[in-house]
Amino acid sequence: MELVVKHFSELTTEELLEIYKLRVSVFVVEQKSPYQEVDDADRVAYHLWLKDEDGIAAYARALPQGATFPTASIGRVIAVKRRCGLGSKIVEAAIHVAKTKFHANQLTIEAQVYARSLYEKHGFRQTSEEFLDAGVPHIQMQLNL
C-alpha cells in the first residue's frame, strides 16, 4: 500500500475526480446527508490517501490553521475497507502531515460520534457536547501535539 500526499495545487484532474467521487459516495449518498461536501477548504488542504491495486483505500485531508478552525485540522477521513486498520493509518498520516506541513501544535476536528474511539486512540479528547452537522451526530475534539 502506498501513501500519497499532495497539496490541492498538485492534484491531477483524475486524482481530484476520484477523491470527490469517494467523498460524495460516503458522506452524501451512503450517509444520506445532503450538504455541500466539496468546499473551498479543499484549495488550501493537503490531500492524502493510501492506494492499492483497486485505487483509493483510505483518504483524509489536512487543513492549515484558519481554514476551518483557529488551529490546524484534519477531516473527511474515509477507510474504504473498514475494520482492518486503514482508518488508523490514514489518521496517523494526516496528523503527521499537519505537524510537518503546518507546524501544528494542536488539531481541532469535528468527528462523527460513531468514530470517537478511532480518534481517542490517537490522543484526541472530546471538547464539546454532541451536535448535528448535516443531520449526523458529531462532537468537536482536540489533540495537543
Side-chain angles (χ1 to χ4, degrees):
M1 189 135 337
E2 178 186 355
L3 175 66
V4 179
V5 178
K6 290 188 175 186
H7 186 268
F8 179 82
S9 62
E10 301 170 307
L11 294 170
T12 67
T13 54
E14 193 64 32
E15 290 167 334
L16 187 59
L17 176 64
E18 291 305 310
I19 288 166
Y20 284 162
K21 282 172 48 182
L22 174 61
R23 284 176 22 186
V24 169
S25 74
V26 171
F27 296 123
V28 178
V29 177
E30 179 183 315
Q31 296 183 354
K32 296 176 179 65
S33 181
Y35 74 105
Q36 187 59 49
E37 202 289 324
V38 176
D39 61 19
D40 288 330
D42 280 324
R43 294 177 191 267
V44 296
Y46 277 88
H47 300 264
L48 51 150
W49 63 96
L50 293 166
K51 72 177 189 175
D52 61 16
E53 62 280 350
D54 297 325
I56 299 174
Y59 169 86
R61 70 179 183 179
L63 297 158
Q65 296 85 337
T68 53
F69 297 103
T71 68
S73 181
I74 63 172
R76 301 297 202 269
V77 175
I78 299 169
V80 175
K81 298 171 186 168
R82 296 175 183 159
R83 308 244 185 265
C84 63
L86 291 176
S88 281
K89 286 181 183 174
I90 201 69
V91 167
E92 185 176 300
I95 292 168
H96 178 75
V97 168
K99 280 193 224 178
T100 58
K101 300 294 187 184
F102 307 132
H103 309 289
N105 58 14
Q106 187 178 64
L107 295 177
T108 303
I109 64 171
E110 288 184 351
Q112 293 185 6
V113 170
Y114 85 89
R116 175 187 305 150
S117 64
L118 167 67
Y119 296 107
E120 287 176 340
K121 288 177 191 171
H122 292 279
F124 284 89
R125 295 292 165 244
Q126 183 173 339
T127 57
S128 77
E129 297 297 319
E130 264 187 48
F131 59 93
L132 290 178
D133 186 5
V136 178
H138 281 72
I139 52 172
Q140 191 171 96
M141 301 182 85
Q142 287 190 327
L143 171 66
N144 292 319
L145 301 170

